[in-house]
Amino acid sequence: MALRRFDLEAGGDTFAFKPETEEKIAFWRGKYPAEKQRSAVIPMLWLAQKDNNGWLSEPAMREVADRLEMPYIRVYEVATFYTMFRLQPVGKYHVQLCGTTPCQLRGAEKLKEVCRKEIGDIMYVTDDGRLSWEEVECLGACVNAPMVQINDDYYEDLTPESLSQILGKLKNGVEVAPGPQIDRVNSAPEGGATTLTEPSLFDGSRNAITTLPNLPSAEPEAAAEPAPAEKPKTTLIGGGAEKKAETGERPPMVTIDPAAHDDLKRIKGIGPKNEDALNELGIYTFKQIAAWTAENVDWVEDFMSFPGRIEREDWIGQAKTLAEGGETEFSKRVDAGDVPSSQEDED
Ligand code: FES
């Protein structure tokens, strides 16, 4: 970054915006509320610089400060901070040469030599007033490095020869088309695109919208998947309300001669009501209960609304013993008629 010196002498004593600039000033000031007009200081300085042959004189800064009712020092601080504002006269064509790493690696040093040779030192204005140059930081066109900005335009993919030619033409009043100075379109690869080259990408043939999410399909609907079998709804005997177990897996049912079913009340925890409920589920024998899986237990507990009870009372252990022809202390008492609860369910 070059040292920026403010030229107090060159600006004279007065500055006035061009009449045609007033509309732009009104546009920018109109973006801010009355009490925040100072926020327009940067666009105002930019317009002042354009109306002052590309640089900000001291009277130009004062004019901006007066219009925005700002202290002069505040405007000076902004103008001297941002390098987009130039503090001394420049040529009709002012060259900003990017000297940051990508441009440096691609030959910016050689371009500087051209500028020194064709123009002179940094910020020197040629005698005819046409050219000046300075080095700036990255201008955001690194893909096309090395590059320069001349007034408002970028000139990219430069070589010492191409920059020399551009400067020569500008010196002679001949305009030069901005942009890449080689066979490159914008920032595309040199020599043309290397990807996305299929013509159908650009001829509109892919633009037809064939489907949109959630639109009714024109195609006949595919046969719907059969819905998963719903768990059977069963009536809980005694409760009177229809209820369906939500968890676990229903135990297998059997059809059995009622005369041949086991007395499930010999299992501690099963009274007449629960036995009826189990019978309705197709559970008639100790062998069935002995074979219950944990999922079956979950299902029955959920269905009968007594979570944890089957395990706590060890229905399965009791059922295994009884299914093998054995007895439990409880079954002995039931068989002896000593258990009234085998006549009524415990709550
Ligand atoms: S480094 Fe030169 S444009 Fe980014």
Side-chain angles (χ1 to χ4, degrees):
M1 178 60 57
L3 180 63
R4 285 154 52 79
R5 291 190 188 283
F6 189 32
D7 192 333
L8 275 173
E9 305 294 323
D13 296 326
T14 59
F15 165 81
F17 282 107
K18 293 177 181 170
E20 60 268 30
T21 306
E22 294 298 338
E23 195 178 334
K24 293 176 188 164
I25 292 172
F27 169 81
W28 285 106
R29 295 189 63 171
K31 287 178 174 281
Y32 304 100
E35 70 277 14
K36 301 285 184 191
Q37 284 291 294
R38 295 175 177 195
S39 298
V41 65
I42 288 179
M44 287 281 284
L45 283 171
W46 184 250
L47 293 173
Q49 178 165 276
K50 281 194 171 293
D51 278 5
N52 195 53
N53 299 319
W55 74 288
L56 280 175
S57 63
E58 191 266 346
M61 291 187 212
R62 269 195 279 115
E63 175 68 16
V64 171
D66 289 342
R67 290 214 184 195
L68 298 178
E69 298 180 10
M70 292 174 68
Y72 294 155
I73 185 64
R74 293 284 174 245
V75 175
Y76 180 85
E77 285 167 352
V78 174
T80 53
F81 179 81
Y82 292 105
T83 55
M84 63 193 271
F85 298 124
R86 292 182 283 273
L87 307 175
Q88 59 192 93
V90 294
K92 179 180 179 188
Y93 300 101
H94 182 64
V95 178
Q96 297 179 76
L97 188 151
C98 174
T100 304
T101 310
C103 284
Q104 183 81 13
L105 293 173
R106 295 272 291 168
E109 280 304 316
K110 291 236 168 11
L111 301 186
K112 284 187 214 171
E113 286 172 20
V114 171
C115 286
R116 284 196 192 92
K117 180 163 168 270
E118 303 283 344
I119 303 172
D121 288 338
I122 285 175
M123 295 308 286
Y124 172 79
V125 181
T126 52
D127 293 342
D128 57 8
R130 285 190 173 272
L131 295 173
S132 60
W133 78 284
E134 67 180 318
E135 181 179 343
V136 296
E137 301 301 329
C138 178
L139 288 167
C142 324
V143 169
N144 298 32
M147 56 82 65
V148 301
Q149 179 177 346
I150 301 178
N151 295 349
D152 292 337
D153 294 317
Y154 281 10
Y155 295 79
E156 303 154 317
D157 296 304
L158 295 169
T159 61
E161 294 72 30
S162 59
L163 179 59
S164 181
Q165 281 177 9
I166 291 169
L167 296 179
K169 286 182 179 173
L170 294 177
K171 199 184 276 187
N172 292 313
V174 178
E175 296 292 330
V176 184
Q181 302 298 307
I182 59 170
D183 177 21
R184 185 208 291 273
V185 177
N186 299 328
S187 297
E190 293 181 33
T194 57
T195 59
L196 302 174
T197 52
E198 223 179 298
S200 67
L201 290 171
F202 310 100
D203 62 11
S205 60
R206 294 192 179 203
N207 288 353
I209 296 172
T210 52
T211 57
L212 280 177
N214 304 323
L215 273 186
S217 170
E219 300 291 322
E221 296 234 342
E225 292 261 321
E230 202 176 322
K231 289 176 182 171
K233 283 186 176 176
T234 321
T235 302
L236 176 60
I237 298 300
E242 198 171 68
K243 179 179 181 298
K244 192 172 77 172
E246 303 289 344
T247 62
E249 183 184 348
R250 179 174 176 159
M253 303 167 63
V254 295
T255 307
I256 195 167
D257 178 357
H261 71 196
D262 290 327
D263 180 4
L264 300 183
K265 296 188 294 300
R266 296 178 73 210
I267 292 175
K268 186 178 181 194
I270 300 179
K273 288 181 185 173
N274 284 341
E275 183 181 48
D276 284 346
L278 290 169
N279 288 168
E280 280 220 356
L281 294 175
I283 310 294
Y284 295 99
T285 66
F286 300 131
K287 194 174 165 192
Q288 283 177 279
I289 297 175
W292 280 356
T293 63
E295 286 282 281
N296 296 151
V297 170
D298 281 347
W299 193 93
V300 174
E301 287 186 336
D302 186 35
F303 177 81
M304 299 181 82
S305 301
F306 43 55
R309 184 165 156 185
I310 293 174
E311 189 178 5
R312 193 167 59 247
E313 295 174 335
D314 191 23
W315 288 16
I316 293 176
Q318 294 181 68
K320 279 182 182 166
T321 301
L322 297 171
E324 289 165 1
E327 292 183 308
T328 66
E329 286 306 312
F330 183 80
S331 71
K332 285 182 196 170
R333 289 172 53 214
V334 170
D335 294 345
D338 293 339
V339 181
S341 63
S342 68
Q343 310 302 313
E344 289 182 12
D345 281 307
E346 296 166 335
D347 290 331

